[in-house]
Amino acid sequence: MVVLFAAKLTEPTSTTEAVSEIVTRLDADLWVLHVAPPVPASAFTSVDPMTGLGDLASYALYDPQLQDELEKAEATAFDDFLKRRFKGTVHASLKTGYPAAMILEDAKEHGVDLIIVGKRHHTRIERFLMGDVAREVVE
């Protein structure tokens, strides 16, 4: 059996302990997936190189060094999370993109039998504005 745990890296310790217990009871392989957010818009700045004025230029400058730094920081945070929270063998998967789609892609890729996704209680307006990854995965 293969279990996939989609981690945001902000889960309480009790959650990761519960995941570990489920995996142990099922004698399953554990994949922990963290979906990093796409590079923020601040990595792309509209700056006129002649005047130095921002948001007036009709083109954007892309900073690959900033993207590399963000990716390294996310990978380091994920590695630290895995070391602190899990004992034993854990397969790690770090992806960038839309969380629900990446979770389903990873599950298919690794032949997952059970997906564990954290659920937060959002108000209706929060669900409308931000969506709900757990609900989207189930659907």
Side-chain angles (χ1 to χ4, degrees):
M1 176 167 233
V2 180
V3 174
L4 173 67
F5 173 52
K8 288 188 74 172
L9 311 186
T10 58
E11 292 84 3
T13 305
S14 60
T15 300
T16 51
E17 288 171 352
V19 168
S20 293
E21 184 166 334
I22 290 169
V23 169
T24 300
R25 287 182 181 211
L26 294 174
D27 191 30
D29 288 330
L30 175 61
W31 280 88
V32 178
L33 166 67
H34 174 58
V35 181
V39 176
S42 61
F44 303 91
T45 49
S46 295
V47 177
D48 185 335
M50 297 299 286
T51 64
L53 298 174
D55 296 328
L56 298 176
S58 60
Y59 45 85
L61 298 176
Y62 170 68
D63 185 355
Q65 183 177 359
L66 177 58
Q67 181 173 353
D68 289 343
E69 293 296 323
L70 290 170
E71 288 172 359
K72 286 177 188 172
E74 201 72 40
T76 299
F78 184 42
D79 287 342
D80 290 345
F81 175 83
L82 293 173
K83 288 175 188 170
R84 281 185 286 115
R85 300 292 187 93
F86 295 98
K87 308 292 184 259
T89 305
V90 175
H91 306 282
S93 182
L94 176 60
K95 295 189 175 195
T96 301
Y98 185 68
M102 295 296 102
I103 291 167
L104 294 172
E105 178 183 293
D106 214 50
K108 186 175 181 180
E109 184 178 317
H110 302 298
V112 168
D113 300 299
L114 174 66
I115 300 173
I116 300 174
V117 180
K119 173 78 171 108
R120 294 184 181 185
H121 298 285
H122 294 297
T123 64
R124 285 185 179 167
I125 192 73
E126 287 172 326
R127 280 193 304 271
F128 175 75
L129 294 173
M130 299 183 306
D132 185 343
V133 173
R135 179 184 49 78
E136 292 176 31
V137 169
V138 169
E139 288 176 354

